[in-house]
Each structure stands twice: as C-alpha cells, then as structure tokens.
Amino acid sequence: MASTADSRKPRRGRRIVSRILLGLLALLGLVTVGFLIWANTGVMRAEPGPLAAVAANPAVTITDSPEAIILTPSDGDSTDGLVFIPGAKVGAGAYVSNLSGVVERDGVTVIITKPTLNLAFFDLRPLGDFTELAPGVNQWFVGGHSLGGVKACQFATEPVLSGLVLFASYCANDLSASDLPVLSIGGSQDNLSTPAKIENASDRLPSDAEFIIVAGANHARFGDYGPQSGDGTATINSDEMRDVLTEDLGTFFDAA
C-alpha cells in the first residue's frame, strides 16, 4: 500500500507547477502593461501652429477618423493618393502641414495612418484598409517617415501601387529587383537616419531610385512635432521644408 507521503507528492508537484504558471502569467501581465504605458508615453504630437494653418486653408479639407487623418482637395478633384505612415511615436497630425502642399497644388489625396500603439510595426492592417477610405482615387503611392518608411517598404509589392516615398528612411527588405518608382528624401542635418545610412541601404532599392538630400533638414523637420533626442539641428524652417517637399513630391507623382 502506498504511503501517505507518496500520495502527497503528485499534489505537491501540481501546486508547484500552478505557482510557476501563475508567476509567469503575472510577469507577462506586468510586461504587457509596462509596454502599453511605454508605447503611449512620450508620443510626439503635432505642433499647433502648422496644423492650425492647414485647418484654416480653404483649399484643403481635413477629415480626422479613427483610422487616419485624411487630406483632400476641397474642390473634390483627386485621382492620385498617398498612404503615409508616421515615424515611431509621432502623432499623425505632425505630418499634415508638410503633406498639405501636394493636396493643394497637385490635387493629391493624402491618408496619414494612425498606427497601432503609435508604432508602425504593430499595425497589422492591410494597405486596403486605408486606400478604401478614398474610393475615388485610382493611382496610389505609399510612403512613410523613419520607422514608418520601413513599414511602407513592406507594402511595396502591392500591385495597386505606383510608387514608394521615403522620408528620412530606408528599407529593411530587398526591393532591388522591383520596377517600382522610389523617391528617397533625406536631410543633411539628420543624425538619426543619416545620409550615410540611407546611402548604405540604397542597394535594397531599384537601381533607378531617386535620392534627394534636403540641405538644412534634420530628422524632425520632416514633421512638425518639435525636437527629437539625438537629432541634429535644422537650419531650414517649417515653411521652407513644406515647399521643398511639395516640389519634390509633385514632380515624382507627375512622372509616375
């Protein structure tokens, strides 16, 4: 006959396993809560001045939806569209001013996404979730700033696309065999996505990709969200940057 001590061993083992599992679940919960707090802390929001200036512009209509901020020409005449993905922990509104120029001048619809947890890599929504927000557009481009550009590169094989736009960014995946038109715009004062880093990753893009370095632009100048840690100092102001981006983007869209 089994002893009382022997019969207690399985129960003791189960208790130990249960405690380990509960401990792991508690640790996972703490890590999850900590990550959610981190993802929503220190988000770089749009500076109010540039955003208010676009809101007051009668030529541009701003629609703020849960999925994205949508910029459309107020006359409703738009056949080209750009899905634009923000950099890590940068609010979508920070790109409204810089991207409003092509809306007003070239009639491009711009959809600035609101990534899950403010980080593009955690946004698992397909490109179609954003293009369907502007059903009248028949030619689509995708682009992004910094980490958002890395995410945009992952959409680059979508057959609906006519081009890829990178702001202070570069691809992690290899698109060198693609015939997709690519425009890469960097800043001479960018200490994060430096011109050297962009050049070193250029072999992942098609051989005819166009590279532009904006004199005086730092990493944060591609949006309007204030200074960013580790960045260089911009010597070009917000209005000048918007004008440069409007010209470069308009030329690229027209050539596609």
Side-chain angles (χ1 to χ4, degrees):
M1 179 180 295
S3 68
T4 302
D6 289 340
S7 65
R8 289 175 180 171
K9 288 180 180 179
R11 290 198 296 273
R12 185 178 302 131
R14 287 194 292 270
R15 285 198 298 272
I16 292 172
V17 171
S18 296
R19 288 171 183 168
I20 292 173
L21 289 175
L22 287 172
L24 289 173
L25 287 173
L27 179 61
L28 179 61
L30 287 172
V31 170
T32 301
V33 170
F35 175 78
L36 290 174
I37 292 172
W38 174 83
N40 289 283
T41 300
V43 176
M44 294 169 279
R45 305 294 182 187
E47 294 178 311
L51 188 58
V54 179
N57 184 350
V60 179
T61 298
I62 303 176
T63 304
D64 195 349
S65 78
E67 298 86 7
I69 294 176
I70 305 165
L71 308 178
T72 54
S74 296
D75 63 10
D77 184 15
S78 181
T79 58
D80 291 346
L82 169 67
V83 175
F84 190 86
I85 306 169
K89 300 177 78 170
V90 180
Y95 301 97
V96 167
S97 179
N98 276 346
L99 294 173
S100 66
V102 290
V103 180
E104 179 177 6
R105 194 190 76 169
D106 300 291
V108 176
T109 292
V110 175
I111 296 175
I112 309 170
T113 72
K114 296 179 178 178
T116 305
L117 297 176
N118 302 301
L119 295 165
F121 280 164
F122 291 98
D123 196 338
L124 302 181
R125 291 170 293 179
L127 186 66
D129 281 10
F130 303 108
T131 58
E132 69 181 13
L133 297 174
V137 171
N138 55 36
Q139 179 169 244
W140 281 103
F141 300 81
V142 68
H145 173 227
S146 194
L147 184 65
V150 179
K151 178 68 175 182
C153 292
Q154 297 176 352
F155 284 132
T157 57
E158 296 278 348
V160 69
L161 291 176
S162 296
L164 169 68
V165 176
L166 301 175
F167 283 5
S169 185
Y170 41 86
C171 293
N173 54 316
D174 189 354
L175 300 176
S176 59
S178 170
D179 59 358
L180 188 71
V182 178
L183 172 64
S184 171
I185 307 177
S188 67
Q189 305 305 112
D190 191 338
N191 283 355
L192 300 175
S193 296
T194 64
K197 289 180 180 178
I198 291 174
E199 182 179 1
N200 288 341
S202 62
D203 60 350
R204 298 178 199 146
L205 295 177
S207 59
D208 60 353
E210 182 180 1
F211 293 88
I212 296 173
I213 298 297
V214 180
N218 64 357
H219 198 75
R221 184 50 72 207
F222 285 89
D224 289 289
Y225 54 88
Q228 189 167 357
S229 178
D231 198 6
T233 301
T235 58
I236 183 174
N237 65 37
S238 179
D239 290 341
E240 291 168 336
M241 187 65 172
R242 184 183 65 248
D243 290 345
V244 169
L245 292 177
T246 299
E247 182 65 32
D248 291 341
L249 289 173
T251 300
F252 180 66
F253 294 151
D254 287 343

